Amino acid sequence: MLNQRFTLAEENSFLETFVIDPNISSKKTKKRPAMVICPGGAYFKLAHRESEPIALHYSGEGFHSFILRYPIDNHKSQYPYPVLSLFQALALIRKHSDEWFVDVSRIYVMGFSAGGHVAGLYANLWNDPSLIAKAGVVNEDLPKVKGVILAYPLVGTTNRPSSEWNDERKLFQCLYGTETPSQDQVSAVTLSNLVNAETLPQFIWCAADDPVLNSADTVSYVLRLQEEKRNVEFHMFKKGSHGLALGDYATADPEDANLFRPMSLWPQLAANWMKTL
């Protein structure tokens, strides 16, 4: 396996590779699909349990895995810089696709929480010429992403933190540069406002008992995707809280005895969905 870090053009961002050896026998090689993973962390950190464990899981499923370390916790964490780093990561994968034996017709993006926001922005704005230009890439360098998987995604915010919770105030500072963004700033990055006729297919899941992000926002986003007749599969689990990643032993807190929740089925559900594309 090729495990390297490639610095991206966007400040404080890089791509970590988990590229599987192409040799499947002494005489044969195989191109594989790729999964680009955007960890969560409220734009001021990157969650470990939504990084390497996810990459290793999908490596075990036969995917080349890539972790996007998008810019966080400074002025470059504000929109659109994290999304620009995703454009740059995809262009880098396309550039090395022959060398890494990547099947460019089967590239997927996956995001968790705030990383789900980054992935969701890309799902709706992937062909925006102004963003492509700001990223410093050209259309010819970008593979067409086949599908986007959002795990308990940040869909949008209000224009004020809803509580004194310090992490929420940090989120606002990192995403908007202020705790009091304008309504235009909020609207510009609310996924439900961005759905259009070219929005990419999406698999989305969340938990009804999520104490951090309102699952009703996710439902509203799914309804907008349906209204626009976009390809979407949605699962809301009764229990699953927030930030549980795979929901299994690999990503559970040491003190968490209740490891195997129903939501731990989501990777298989997502795999089944990907086969339908």
Side-chain angles (χ1 to χ4, degrees):
M1 177 177 287
L2 177 69
N3 181 219
Q4 291 183 324
R5 290 188 176 188
F6 290 83
T7 300
L8 301 173
E10 209 55 53
E11 182 181 329
N12 298 323
S13 65
F14 59 88
L15 189 70
E16 184 173 3
T17 71
F18 293 78
V19 173
I20 300 171
D21 192 317
N23 295 310
I24 57 174
S25 74
S26 60
K27 296 181 180 179
K28 295 182 180 179
T29 57
K30 181 178 182 178
K31 286 194 171 185
R32 298 180 183 274
M35 184 68 72
V36 182
I37 301 157
C38 304
Y43 282 110
F44 63 84
K45 61 183 177 180
L46 293 175
H48 175 75
R49 75 169 77 187
E50 295 161 359
S51 301
E52 285 88 349
I54 309 300
L56 293 175
H57 173 84
Y58 278 93
S59 293
E61 296 294 327
F63 286 74
H64 297 306
S65 297
F66 300 88
I67 300 174
L68 174 63
R69 311 287 185 178
Y70 53 88
I72 55 170
D73 201 22
N74 60 31
H75 70 285
K76 284 292 188 177
S77 61
Q78 296 169 32
Y79 175 79
Y81 299 114
V83 184
L84 301 185
S85 70
L86 180 50
F87 278 99
Q88 294 160 8
L90 290 165
L92 181 69
I93 293 169
R94 176 64 177 268
K95 178 181 177 181
H96 291 276
S97 60
D98 289 339
E99 173 189 350
W100 293 342
F101 284 78
V102 173
D103 181 348
V104 293
S105 70
R106 292 191 295 159
I107 295 179
Y108 304 87
V109 172
M110 175 178 291
F112 298 82
S113 194
H117 187 238
V118 175
L121 289 169
Y122 180 83
N124 291 290
L125 301 171
W126 64 274
N127 58 352
D128 185 310
S130 64
L131 287 178
I132 293 171
K134 287 178 182 177
V137 298
V138 295
N139 274 325
E140 291 74 16
D141 293 337
L142 292 169
K144 176 70 178 293
V145 168
K146 194 166 189 180
V148 177
I149 299 167
L150 306 183
Y152 42 86
L154 170 67
V155 172
T157 72
T158 61
N159 60 356
R160 299 290 187 278
S162 59
S163 70
E164 293 301 311
W165 183 44
N166 193 45
D167 284 359
E168 189 172 18
R169 299 205 312 274
K170 286 183 180 179
L171 165 66
F172 273 61
Q173 284 287 351
C174 291
L175 177 57
Y176 301 117
T178 175
E179 290 184 22
T180 56
S182 69
Q183 191 57 53
D184 286 345
Q185 282 180 285
V186 171
S187 295
V189 296
T190 299
L191 301 187
S192 301
N193 296 338
L194 302 175
V195 179
N196 60 82
E198 299 298 323
T199 292
L200 295 173
Q202 290 169 71
F203 176 97
I204 304 171
W205 73 271
C206 66
D209 66 343
D210 191 324
V212 177
L213 298 176
N214 189 348
S215 56
D217 292 340
T218 306
V219 173
S220 295
Y221 179 49
V222 171
L223 290 175
R224 278 292 299 124
L225 290 166
Q226 284 189 301
E227 288 170 6
E228 201 62 41
K229 295 181 171 53
R230 305 317 300 149
N231 181 325
V232 60
E233 181 169 328
F234 174 56
H235 297 268
M236 182 190 290
F237 297 96
K238 179 181 177 181
K239 292 186 177 181
S241 190
H242 185 84
L244 295 187
L246 294 171
D248 63 3
Y249 184 80
T251 55
D253 289 331
E255 66 274 15
D256 190 348
N258 184 22
L259 302 178
F260 303 106
R261 297 173 173 84
M263 50 76 63
S264 66
L265 295 173
W266 76 261
Q268 185 58 57
L269 295 171
N272 293 342
W273 172 77
M274 284 187 280
K275 292 174 184 176
T276 70
L277 299 181

